[in-house]
Amino acid sequence: MSAELSITPQAELWARYSTGLYRNEELGFSLDLSRVRMSPSEQSAIAEMFPMAFSAMAQLEAGSIANKDEGRMVGHYWLRAPQLAPTPELEADILQAIFDVKAFCQAVHEGEIRGSGGKFTNVLLIGIGGSALGPQFIATALASSQDKLHMSFFDNTDPDGIDLVLSSLASRLATTLVVVVSKSGGTPETRNGMLEAQAAFQSAGIPFAPQAVAITQAGSKLDQTAQSEGWLKTFPMWDWVGGRTSVMSTVGLVPAALQGLDIDGLLEGAGQMDSLTRVPQVKENPAALLAMAWYHCGQGRGSKDMVLLPYKDRLALFSKYLQQLVMESLGKELDRKGQKVNQGIAVYGNKGSTDQHAYVQQLRDGLNNFFATFIEVLKDRHGDSIEVDAGVTSGDYLYGFYAGTRKALYESGRDSITITVNEVNAHSVGALIALYERAVGLYAELVNINAYHQPGVEAGKKAAAQILALQSQAVEVVVRNKASLTADEVAKLANASDVESIYGILRHLAANPSRGIVRHPGKTPAEDRFGKL
Ligand SMILES: O=P(O)(O)OC[C@H]1O[C@H](O)[C@H](O)[C@@H](O)[C@@H]1O
């Protein structure tokens, strides 16, 4: 932080705000970096790196293999501008998918396509990661009393979580449309959720296939299941769309359209923002300005966390959505030269002013290891507000708390960015998503990493598969033995070395009576004994 910019007098700050504010009236959008302590020389030093980033982005949009590690194109910008797709076939595929989404959802809304219990009333979306976070964010951000269908989600393999959702759907299962979403079509959590839903339908005596839709890549396991079981519909997903940038594909459009949301508005808002973030001048490009601020605040290595504070309840899931988009894109061990860099930017936050009563204490007075991103929404509500004080509404309080926190953080030497939109609607949500998709892509160019693969997620999955394999070995040993055994003894008999995992597995099973295992506690875990129930 350069000395001359530490605490700038108000008048100068206003001048900096007014001259530096990026805004687009047509989009009802503005971006304020005036509370990021970045000197003109620091700005120009970073700006020098952007011509390379802009040209890499132009090549990506033209269809280059930008995801080299997976040998794939990166085409999420084409989803809202099919005419930009590198081939007429791709353009036609995108247009056909949008057409099919609309036709299918209209038939559902009109009751032409219906459940065994009549016109569909509910949607149960089953997916995880990019196949859930986007749909969940949009479903919450744009929900209204006009929604055509009510949305529920399985986004995990937690039996209790699944039961909670199923119990909320119990009386309406016969009018629930199940949408199973998996790009790869092989994600275990999603498969498990599908099987759990099928079991619930079966025990309710309701045929599942006529009420099931798949969204997946052609030929995937999920696609095969949907075909062989005769599901209602399968929508395409493509390898050139990353999970975390798939919300503008069928992954996001099908659930949004079923809910009755304005998917044209979403695509238009995103497309309009894409045009603004294609401008090859940093000062004229809101995504470049954002990436520049991230680079400056984190010294190009993510040394500061991104705290997201939307002052609007509807946007409370935006940080969760951005956790995947930013951290799964930028959190990379190696750069493109194969150098070990351990890059990334940590993202957290929920909403304002609520979070002021939670962790803003630390932001103001504690570790200065973050920069805040406020999202300000100018329109308070649809309709008029009561006065909570003379001439003051609850919306004024919300604005006051946003402006107050921004001021309080600045005064204590904390940087912040403010993104302002007129209101939360399909257009502005599309624009916000597109802004961050581009900013992540540009930032990745600045730090020379591949933002489009996620090698780091495999290790945990592989280890999970080993644990499940070990489980069947351990259970086999316990069931085969009359006497109860310690984890060490089970490991020996199973010819396995990972005793602690065996212990954890057996303790988990023993806590679930239907699994047929009992635990006899000893003084220490090593002395606990496990036997057949
Ligand atoms: O859509 P799917 O293939 O089921 O993948 C769902 C998610 O799982 C993976 O592990 C990746 O971390 C995510 O990028 C992806 O969105």
Side-chain angles (χ1 to χ4, degrees):
M1 170 169 62
S2 43
E4 82 270 6
L5 278 178
S6 56
I7 305 295
T8 309
Q10 236 165 23
E12 262 180 68
L13 271 176
W14 165 231
R16 195 157 82 199
Y17 171 84
S18 179
T19 52
L21 185 72
Y22 172 95
R23 60 183 180 176
N24 183 284
E25 292 296 345
E26 198 194 329
L27 203 51
F29 168 89
S30 70
L31 174 67
D32 162 33
L33 300 184
S34 66
R35 293 317 188 266
V36 175
R37 290 169 180 79
M38 193 168 37
S39 69
S41 56
E42 287 165 329
Q43 286 184 35
S44 26
I46 302 171
E48 275 163 24
M49 297 192 280
F50 271 91
M52 161 278 294
F54 290 138
S55 95
M57 191 55 80
Q59 288 163 34
L60 174 150
E61 288 204 294
S64 69
I65 304 297
N67 177 0
K68 288 205 170 36
D69 299 85
E70 295 179 339
R72 291 176 174 165
M73 297 187 290
V74 175
H76 48 277
Y77 300 108
W78 310 330
L79 297 170
R80 53 264 191 171
Q83 71 285 3
L84 296 181
T87 67
E89 294 74 27
L90 284 178
E91 178 178 1
D93 288 348
I94 298 168
L95 291 169
Q96 185 63 48
I98 296 171
F99 178 85
D100 291 347
V101 168
K102 289 181 178 174
F104 177 80
C105 295
Q106 188 180 347
V108 168
H109 294 157
E110 291 168 358
E112 218 181 288
I113 297 177
R114 45 202 304 124
S116 57
K119 214 173 156 183
F120 285 115
T121 57
N122 289 70
V123 174
L124 170 59
L125 185 140
I126 304 177
I128 200 165
S131 293
L133 288 161
Q136 288 168 316
F137 167 50
I138 288 188
T140 307
L142 301 176
S144 79
S145 54
Q146 270 82 56
D147 284 357
K148 295 258 171 50
L149 283 88
H150 182 78
M151 302 297 298
S152 301
F153 298 88
F154 287 176
D155 67 353
N156 194 2
T157 182
D158 171 17
D160 179 55
I162 288 171
D163 291 346
L164 267 176
V165 174
L166 286 174
S167 63
S168 73
L169 288 172
S171 60
R172 281 162 293 164
L173 218 48
T175 56
T176 293
L177 181 64
V178 180
V179 180
V180 183
V181 189
S182 177
K183 173 183 174 182
S184 62
T187 303
E189 294 95 332
T190 306
R191 191 280 315 254
N192 298 351
M194 175 192 79
L195 294 174
E196 295 268 0
Q198 284 181 323
F201 270 68
Q202 193 167 12
S203 52
I206 302 166
F208 178 82
Q211 296 186 206
V213 166
I215 302 177
T216 189
Q217 285 185 92
S220 75
K221 272 204 205 124
L222 172 57
D223 186 28
Q224 292 163 26
T225 301
Q227 305 308 327
S228 62
E229 294 179 3
W231 290 16
L232 190 52
K233 178 92 180 150
T234 297
F235 288 98
M237 192 24 197
W238 303 290
D239 77 344
W240 45 266
V241 181
R244 55 188 173 275
T245 53
S246 67
V247 70
M248 300 288 168
S249 76
T250 52
V251 168
L253 298 182
V254 171
L258 285 170
Q259 188 177 345
L261 306 180
D262 171 14
I263 61 169
D264 288 329
L266 268 174
L267 294 168
E268 268 164 38
Q272 220 177 325
M273 180 59 82
D274 288 345
S275 313
L276 301 180
T277 62
R278 219 169 262 130
V279 176
Q281 277 94 40
V282 175
K283 284 226 167 8
E284 306 306 323
N285 182 327
L289 288 166
L290 209 48
M292 175 170 72
W294 298 351
Y295 191 94
H296 170 75
C297 290
Q299 300 159 307
R301 54 185 170 75
S303 61
K304 289 207 171 168
D305 302 341
M306 179 191 299
V307 178
L308 208 87
L309 278 170
Y311 275 65
K312 191 53 75 177
D313 290 0
R314 286 177 175 280
L315 298 179
L317 289 185
F318 197 36
S319 62
K320 218 174 147 198
Y321 173 77
L322 290 182
Q323 272 180 339
Q324 186 197 22
L325 178 61
V326 173
M327 298 174 74
E328 203 173 66
S329 299
L330 303 180
K332 301 291 158 64
E333 180 187 19
L334 306 175
D335 67 10
R336 287 190 184 125
K337 293 191 202 125
Q339 307 280 326
K340 197 170 177 94
V341 286
N342 298 117
Q343 272 287 358
I345 302 177
V347 177
Y348 65 93
N350 311 296
K351 62 179 182 178
S353 62
T354 315
D355 289 5
Q356 287 177 228
H357 307 267
Y359 57 81
V360 166
Q361 164 61 42
Q362 174 173 314
L363 299 189
R364 173 82 178 34
D365 293 348
L367 283 170
N368 186 0
N369 63 350
F370 70 93
F371 59 93
T373 303
F374 296 105
I375 303 201
E376 176 195 19
V377 178
L378 296 176
K379 194 166 180 190
D380 291 338
R381 60 176 7 138
H382 294 292
D384 301 336
S385 287
I386 63 160
E387 291 192 353
V388 290
D389 297 326
V392 178
T393 68
S394 36
D396 299 338
Y397 268 93
L398 188 66
Y399 174 75
F401 285 128
Y402 145 64
T405 304
R406 174 176 175 264
K407 196 167 189 306
L409 290 184
Y410 185 74
E411 284 166 355
S412 69
R414 273 71 173 160
D415 289 341
S416 72
I417 296 166
T418 295
I419 293 171
T420 303
V421 295
N422 279 345
E423 63 179 294
V424 178
N425 56 27
H427 216 266
S428 61
V429 167
L432 282 174
I433 290 171
L435 172 72
Y436 274 86
E437 286 179 341
R438 184 83 81 183
V440 163
L442 289 171
Y443 182 90
E445 295 302 334
L446 300 184
V447 295
N448 195 23
I449 57 163
N450 176 359
Y452 307 106
H453 67 336
Q454 54 285 327
V457 301
E458 298 312 321
K461 295 179 188 178
K462 284 201 189 91
Q466 286 159 359
I467 296 280
L468 291 173
L470 196 55
Q471 174 171 312
S472 44
Q473 287 176 273
V475 169
E476 204 261 325
V477 166
V478 172
V479 167
R480 201 175 61 227
N481 280 274
K482 284 206 173 39
S484 63
L485 302 163
T486 65
D488 281 286
E489 290 163 347
V490 174
K492 276 201 191 70
L493 291 166
N495 205 8
S497 57
D498 187 352
V499 180
E500 187 185 340
S501 292
I502 285 181
Y503 176 80
I505 288 166
L506 293 173
R507 184 174 65 165
H508 166 239
L509 293 174
N512 297 278
S514 64
R515 309 307 299 278
I517 303 282
V518 61
R519 179 171 74 95
H520 307 289
K523 280 204 215 70
T524 65
E527 294 162 72
D528 286 7
R529 305 192 72 79
F530 296 94
K532 223 178 21 234
L533 195 59

